[in-house]
Amino acid sequence: MSEQAHDQLLAEFRPQMLKFARLQLQDGAAAEDVVHDAISAALEGASRFNGRSALKTWIFAILRHKIVDALRERGRTVHISSLEKDEADLDEAFDALFTASAHWHPLSRPRAWGNPEEALEQRQFWQVFETCLELLPANTARVFMMREFLGFETPEICRNLDISTSNCHVILHRARAGLRLCLERGWFNTEGSPAC
Amino acid sequence: MLTCKEATHLISEALDRPLSWPERLRLRTHLAFCSGCQAFRRQLDFLRSASRRFLTRRDEDEP
């Protein structure tokens, strides 16, 4: 792959990189900085990569490290407020899946998603996934992304956001339960189907 | 006996910390009898693998 082709691909990835960095850092200028740094670092070694997928995997790995560094440097400056209304709404939607005795309601008991790995190959699935992420409350999504996209361990997330470990677990559960329900309704559509 | 709602919390926390021995036992016992929570657990596992792929997902037609 020529140098020009690399430059072109990097330019193509840039909007997606910026979007991701903004979501994580909640700061437009800081997001521009990390994306700029990641692209500069990537240009130096890009010739080793052949093909779009390999280059993309690699440049997002670099971006991920830059974001992790930026978050670590920033330390405890991000404030996560106490329960917000949209978080309470999400909890209410989750609670509605259960009976009064805290067991699954017969109509909302989770059912197998078949072969969900097949969805990972479909572009439309990722659009639904991204929409579901955007529908999560901002704080909930941030904690989820720190854990699952950036690979932070939970204690570090708690320290970075200055929240208790148990609160961290509650937020991650809320995020996963919310995403699960959204994907179920938006993609897998098993809800309400017969039990067997 | 664990309720399903409690089980979903342990299933989620197991992705973030090692569960204690009694927690694991309670969860395993619950899962043995609860198809809903079994499906919930597989779905959270899927969410994790999807998240790992999110950044490098197929976002346009590639060969």
Side-chain angles (χ1 to χ4, degrees), chain B:
Chain B
M1 184 74 185
L2 219 53
T3 66
C4 293
K5 204 190 273 190
E6 287 165 340
T8 68
H9 280 274
L10 282 184
I11 289 165
S12 173
E13 287 188 30
L15 296 170
D16 302 314
R17 67 171 175 91
L19 297 184
S20 69
W21 188 79
E23 284 173 330
R24 279 211 303 278
L25 187 64
R26 292 172 78 205
L27 183 59
R28 205 182 304 157
T29 311
H30 180 92
L31 285 172
F33 296 99
C34 181
S35 66
C37 287
Q38 284 168 22
F40 185 89
R41 182 168 69 164
R42 279 197 297 273
Q43 289 161 0
L44 290 204
D45 288 343
F46 169 73
L47 268 183
R48 168 153 287 177
S49 53
S51 300
R52 298 231 158 112
R53 293 266 297 269
F54 179 75
L55 287 182
T56 51
R57 68 194 177 276
R58 180 187 172 125
D59 60 348
E60 55 196 272
D61 297 321
E62 291 178 52

Side-chain angles (χ1 to χ4, degrees), chain A residues 16 52-53 56-57 95 102-104 111 113 116 121 123 126 130 147-149 154 172-173 176 180, chain B residues 4-5 8-9 12 15-16 36-37 39 43 46-48 50-51 53-54 56-57 59-62:
Chain A
Q16 205 189 331
R52 182 191 160 82
S53 291
K56 189 175 182 190
T57 303
D95 288 344
H103 290 280
W104 296 108
R111 292 184 183 92
W113 281 348
E121 304 303 326
R123 199 211 294 204
W126 290 111
E130 210 170 331
R147 178 76 186 108
E148 302 292 2
F149 295 172
T154 323
L172 285 166
H173 175 272
R176 291 174 180 134
R180 187 197 81 83
Chain B
C4 293
K5 204 190 273 190
T8 68
H9 280 274
S12 173
L15 296 170
D16 302 314
C37 287
Q43 289 161 0
F46 169 73
L47 268 183
R48 168 153 287 177
S51 300
R53 293 266 297 269
F54 179 75
T56 51
R57 68 194 177 276
D59 60 348
E60 55 196 272
D61 297 321
E62 291 178 52

Side-chain angles (χ1 to χ4, degrees), chain A residues 8-139:
Chain A
Q8 203 183 334
L9 273 177
L10 291 175
E12 221 177 279
F13 297 150
R14 198 170 177 278
Q16 205 189 331
M17 293 168 73
L18 257 183
K19 191 172 170 193
F20 180 68
R22 278 205 203 99
L23 270 171
Q24 286 298 321
L25 297 168
Q26 309 271 304
D27 175 342
E32 294 271 355
D33 286 349
V34 289
V35 169
H36 177 263
D37 288 355
I39 289 179
S40 308
L43 280 174
E44 285 167 24
S47 55
R48 288 183 288 131
F49 291 88
N50 264 315
R52 182 191 160 82
S53 291
L55 188 66
K56 189 175 182 190
T57 303
W58 182 62
I59 190 156
F60 271 93
I62 297 177
L63 179 64
R64 187 183 151 273
H65 282 292
K66 301 278 177 198
I67 294 174
V68 168
D69 288 346
L71 284 171
R72 283 192 178 132
E73 247 168 63
R74 192 195 274 177
R76 292 190 187 181
T77 54
V78 186
H79 181 66
I80 288 247
S81 57
S82 50
L83 199 68
E84 285 173 355
K85 192 191 166 286
D86 46 359
E87 291 161 354
D89 289 349
L90 207 52
D91 289 351
E92 213 171 280
F94 181 68
D95 288 344
L97 304 176
F98 297 90
T99 62
S101 59
H103 290 280
W104 296 108
H105 194 280
L107 285 177
S108 46
R109 183 184 302 126
R111 292 184 183 92
W113 281 348
N115 209 345
E117 280 70 26
E118 284 170 8
L120 300 177
E121 304 303 326
Q122 298 180 50
R123 199 211 294 204
Q124 293 94 324
F125 169 77
W126 290 111
Q127 284 166 356
V128 174
F129 190 85
E130 210 170 331
T131 306
C132 287
L133 264 178
E134 280 163 12
L135 288 173
L136 287 180
N139 285 337

